């Protein structure tokens, strides 16, 4: 039974907390949040201890692992503290949005050798994973084209958008940049990006790109397309299509129910699941299970800091391309 | 090149006429209709001759085959005349609605030995046929249950309904009764039927059954369900599902286009094809092709008078069951 | 926070136990099983107490509700004991297979007035429920035909089959008998049933019916078809189709993933979910939520003993029809 | 009744000939081909006259329209001859692959003022057209992204590939370049293209690009992606997806039948239609109908020489981008 310390009781924290509590191999021991009341409320539900000070929890020798659910710009400091305390680390994506800080984390992790896992949860979605496994099993032969559609139902509030310009790259498509590496088991060597502001000024006052198309070339020669939007009227649109010499595999969308309504106007199904936490409910459970499994068997986690670093590098190059209108070569 | 005489220039006649004209092995030579103007108009389009008198056309020795597209109650007399003239016969379903007349036809056909084909067109629909072939190829192993849904988009006008009480059996489900024999390659030994009048009095003033459910047992033990309605708001609903020890094959519906519309209210496809002639466009071509192929190779047509007779016998038993509320045993 | 006593730590017990533990309004306080080791193992996981004696748990005044997960033939005695102890009761379906015992339970419940809920979980499946709500909202107008397909992936072991002859009625279609009442908000007045033994002797040595078709007539005149099999090679097949004057709503099947595989042989999706607990995972959570909600608001549970009684009465009449080959009138 | 002269009795000629013959408003009067035997054989079937000399047919004053089905590089000369003879012209796509010759044609057409129609048949496919109409009707609001997948089942034989390098642009994606203009009612201002040779040397000995991804920007700001391959193992893959502020419309693929096969390995549908003539059967009929309708009403055809010219210009720019690796600005 592994004791976990959850850092960050807001937004995605309660989800990870519940998953830890329900996992047969784990126990939620601590909840840490600057907002101590929030930490307490969450901790109480699962019989955990609460604190406003990370150090207090890290000092508990029974704590074996830390789950970091705080805002991105705080990740690096918490990673370093947890690593120095010898705790295994599960960090919500991204590692950080500043490459220098990511590199600094890398050094600390290399010194401390603690297991590190970055939560690119889509790798653990059952359908995306089945697509991955089908490619790896050779079902489509050599992969030749990959097409990822990644559309959010609505744009974030202006104040959130203001904190991360080009968030469509750093926040949304960074998942796709991770997935293309994961699915093709290969690295991109070129990226070409174009963006647009399609959402009206009231909802997107900063005129930050809300629509993007990206084309990449992999070192194998495979071609990749990613499209993204911050406003899909019909729900959270998440599709991946891999085409190869022997066929195609497609990860299609998920609906709240499987009901079909037949009437004069045609046949209607539900809109897509709207909320990313509903769509990826399974993947959040499975990524935690993968992390715990790695700790239990003392094997390296399936996805590490270098994966987080590379996805960020692709996002940065994409933004450069979008700004210059020219393809950008990628190297590491 | 086979010369055809088309009898009946109304309703379904022009469809069969166009199919004959377009077939590489056939020519439309005569169109016969009591309404000579209708015969002429159709004949003109394809360079055929027109007549109001069947005898005139039957006397033409170049005519090798007759297609009968007149109202059902006239079929028997035309069949006998054509048979006595030595012409091959393609007869729209049903052979007749009066079993005695069907039996009389059978005798004449037995004497004259002319090829006879009854147009149960659904046997020739590509999807239904693929289902048939899958069963015959053993894909589902031994067939155990068969479920046929057969729903018209709207009820016929009251004057048409008045001419054939229990028309839902004689007109619509007779297709299903033929299909269950064809698909299972077996005969039913029992039928149980229940009907209802669901359409309001304005549209169904004679209170003729407009809704029916039928359950049959085959000599093999397989169980069959048929449901039918004269008012499917979403179009012409035609489905068949065959279940067996190794799986299931399903013939699903057809749509005018393959467009999907995704919006706030969900994902919408077209309603079903509405008109039976659109839905079964291919089957009308293919049944004619099967008939012509049989004549060209001098082999017996794929479906003969006995098939028409048996489908009618099942319909009659079904009506008896619906009237008595008791299961009816079937024998031949 | 409601304290629950779970009775029966086998088969379905751990599922209900986990759902109680995860529910924000409930706590698993006791696990009771004659097999005390099983009770203890389950109790330990959730910090509950364990016992081999029901009385011990019922004596705990903090216990507000009992969940009965023992074999059907033990239900009645436990219901009566729990009712007399004043506990609210959630009983796995069926109430009992013996109508006399069901009636005896009814009397005790009438005296003690404890809330009683029978776990016909399918009423709480999100897709089936959306179908129900669409009917109730008038989307298809007056319902005219209902078609339920209810097929298990495999037959139970011979020793289980031996204990409940005609189990396809009592165990499987009893769900459909409940659903048709729930969906149509109406009672059947006639049932006609036919069965077959299609599974080979090795797997079905007792030659208990493994395949069934049932046709019912509702007091409204609506017609209902149910088909069932104990061996669906492609998974757990659970479909409902409701047809009415304005259209049709269909609850279609569920798949483990939404992957599509396109190759030379066509386009392939996953087989259906195989295990009923996976297919109805949500409905088990939601029925518990409905039960707890009723207790919290002191309103009668959504489904009570009379519902269990009526579903059993339909099953009994169905068996009578299958044995006699005649339709059976239903009355209460 | 319009008399047509068909030029070119090979490949696509018989298809257009049959469509003309079956059209209620048209008659096939002449078939012209250097291979006089081929012309005769086709002409005979429809009672038309045959010739090896175009002038002979053009001299027939009853001939009102010419359908050009010869190889692309012969189109320009035939267009000019037909235009000078005052005949309306239906020309298979492309107008020509040499822009200078297209411009020369444009001059002759401007002088002679004969109606000219270029056969970009996909505009007339019922599903693609329904997508077009949905966009125009405002169903998705302002179009923001367009994604076209255009994959042939197999590469042409090496000798055909040798005659048109970069044929994936000139032969295949030229359809998509026309469709994006048609669907968005807008012009592209930039194109970025990347290609690959994925098919092995035996089938693609000239190493001509067999795989391509293209990204375009429209003058409205909308972003467009096109992907294409010369080898789709699962059939002729033809999809279009238009995304906008209010939703998405998708033109999905077509299958030979609507059969579903459910077995242990999952649920299987047919592979896609394999042959483009089967997939676009309806569009060939409808484009002819549009052309005849324009002549009958003396209105300009729905698609003219300038459309052919612009699609070619986009293809040329795409090839330039693929060769240089840089985005290419488009202007006319």
């Amino acid at each position: 039974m592994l004791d976990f310390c959850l850092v960050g009781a807001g937004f995605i924290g309660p989800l990870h907390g519940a998953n830890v509590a329900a996992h047969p191999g784990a126990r939620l021991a601590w909840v840490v949040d600057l907002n101590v009341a929030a930490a307490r409320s969450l901790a109480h539900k699962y019989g955990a201890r609460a604190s406003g000070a990370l150090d207090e929890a890290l000092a508990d020798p029974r704590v074996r692992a830390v789950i970091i659910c705080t805002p991105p710009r705080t990740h690096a400091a918490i990673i370093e503290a947890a690593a120095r305390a010898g705790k295994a680390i599960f960090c919500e994506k991204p590692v950080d949005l500043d490459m220098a800080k990511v590199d600094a984390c890398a050094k600390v992790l290399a010194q401390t050798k603690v297991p590190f896992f970055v939560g690119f949860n889509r790798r653990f979605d059952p359908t995306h994973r089945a697509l991955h496994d089908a490619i790896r099993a050779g079902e489509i032969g050599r992969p030749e084209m990959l097409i990822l559609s990644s559309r959010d139902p609505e744009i974030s509030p202006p104040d959130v958008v203001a904190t991360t310009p080009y968030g469509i790259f750093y926040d949304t498509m960074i998942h796709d940049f991770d997935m293309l590496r994961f699915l093709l088991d290969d690295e991109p060597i070129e990226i070409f990006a174009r963006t647009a502001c399609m959402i009206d000024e009231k909802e997107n006052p900063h005129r930050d790109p809300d629509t993007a198309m990206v084309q990449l070339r992999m070192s194998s020669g495979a071609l990749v397309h990613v499209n993204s939007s911050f406003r899909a009227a019909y729900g959270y649109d998440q599709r991946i299509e891999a085409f190869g010499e022997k066929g195609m595999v497609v990860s299609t969308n998920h609906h709240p129910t499987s009901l079909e309504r037949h009437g004069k106007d045609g046949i209607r199904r539900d809109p897509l699941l709207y909320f990313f936490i509903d769509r990826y409910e399974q993947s959040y459970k499975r990524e935690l299970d993968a992390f715990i499994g790695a700790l239990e068997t003392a094997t390296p986690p399936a996805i590490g800091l270098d994966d987080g670093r590379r996805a960020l590098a692709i996002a940065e190059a994409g933004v450069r391309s979008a700004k210059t209108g020219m393809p950008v070569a990628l190297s590491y």
Side-chain angles (χ1 to χ4, degrees), chain A:
Chain A
M1 193 68 67
L2 288 162
D3 276 18
F4 274 73
C5 169
L6 175 76
V7 189
F11 203 41
I12 198 97
L15 171 73
H16 284 298
N19 287 343
V20 168
H23 193 282
R27 205 174 70 97
L28 188 62
W30 283 87
V31 178
V32 172
D33 200 303
L34 291 180
N35 178 341
V36 185
R40 266 189 204 132
S41 160
L42 187 59
H44 176 74
K45 183 161 177 181
Y46 302 105
R49 300 177 63 185
S51 175
L54 178 60
D55 289 349
E56 188 187 356
L58 292 182
D60 181 345
R62 280 169 314 187
V63 169
R64 291 271 305 281
V66 168
I67 296 203
I68 305 174
C69 306
T70 53
R73 90 192 72 87
T74 67
H75 286 181
I78 299 171
I79 289 168
E80 297 188 14
R84 295 218 160 92
K87 313 301 186 190
I89 300 166
F90 179 112
C91 181
E92 253 302 324
K93 70 98 207 170
V95 178
D96 197 287
L97 292 175
D98 177 339
M99 189 63 88
K101 286 165 76 180
V102 175
D103 288 340
C105 282
K107 271 187 205 145
V108 177
L109 291 169
Q111 292 158 6
T112 57
K113 296 199 170 64
V114 300
F116 181 88
F117 185 105
V118 58
F120 278 120
N121 63 297
R122 294 189 193 172
R123 291 190 179 205
F124 300 89
D125 172 68
T127 304
H128 294 342
R129 172 63 62 142
L131 183 143
H132 169 272
D133 294 350
I135 295 175
R136 214 54 91 248
E139 273 191 40
I140 62 164
R142 175 186 178 178
E144 297 170 356
M145 297 197 286
L146 185 71
I147 293 166
L148 301 109
S149 297
S150 193
R151 303 174 192 159
D152 287 348
E154 55 191 63
I155 193 168
S156 301
D159 57 319
V160 173
V161 169
T163 63
T164 320
Y166 282 83
I168 201 164
F169 286 81
Y170 292 116
D171 221 48
T172 295
M173 288 194 293
I174 201 168
H175 279 290
D176 303 293
F177 301 147
D178 179 59
M179 287 302 280
L180 65 90
R181 293 182 60 248
F182 173 61
L183 294 173
L184 298 179
D185 194 19
D186 188 17
E187 303 294 338
I189 57 173
E190 182 192 77
I191 187 166
F192 176 76
R194 279 293 186 188
T195 62
C197 288
M198 293 290 188
I199 301 179
D200 62 33
E201 292 220 33
K202 220 172 80 186
E203 284 186 81
N204 183 10
H206 302 292
R207 309 318 288 153
D208 193 51
D210 51 44
T211 306
M213 264 198 191
V214 175
Q215 188 167 315
L216 303 102
R217 204 152 40 100
M218 306 301 287
S219 77
S220 71
L223 299 170
V224 179
H225 161 82
V226 184
N227 68 71
S228 190
S229 166
F230 274 160
R231 188 241 299 107
Y234 50 93
Y236 188 47
D237 188 358
Q238 299 282 301
R239 286 170 287 150
I240 304 174
E241 170 185 332
F243 173 86
E245 59 181 334
K246 292 186 188 163
M248 173 169 72
V249 281
V250 187
S251 177
T252 66
N253 276 311
H254 291 200
H255 299 259
T257 78
S258 65
L259 196 71
E260 288 178 358
R261 300 161 197 265
H262 299 232
K264 273 191 199 311
D265 294 333
I267 300 178
R268 197 155 52 83
R269 302 190 55 194
D270 289 348
L272 305 182
L273 286 169
Y274 195 85
F275 193 34
F276 74 92
I277 282 182
D278 292 331
R279 167 64 184 84
Y280 285 117
E281 183 194 4
Q282 290 298 314
S283 72
Y284 285 107
K285 289 181 181 160
R286 293 187 181 212
E287 66 176 358
L288 180 68
D289 191 55
F291 176 63
I292 292 172
L295 299 189
E296 284 172 345
T297 57
T299 50
I303 172 169
L305 187 111
D306 190 52
D307 296 298
R309 196 191 173 285
R310 284 173 186 259
L312 178 61
I314 301 171
E316 286 185 340
V319 172
R320 214 148 62 235
S321 173
K323 287 178 172 169
T324 62
M326 287 292 138
V328 168
L330 281 156
S331 60
Y332 302 91

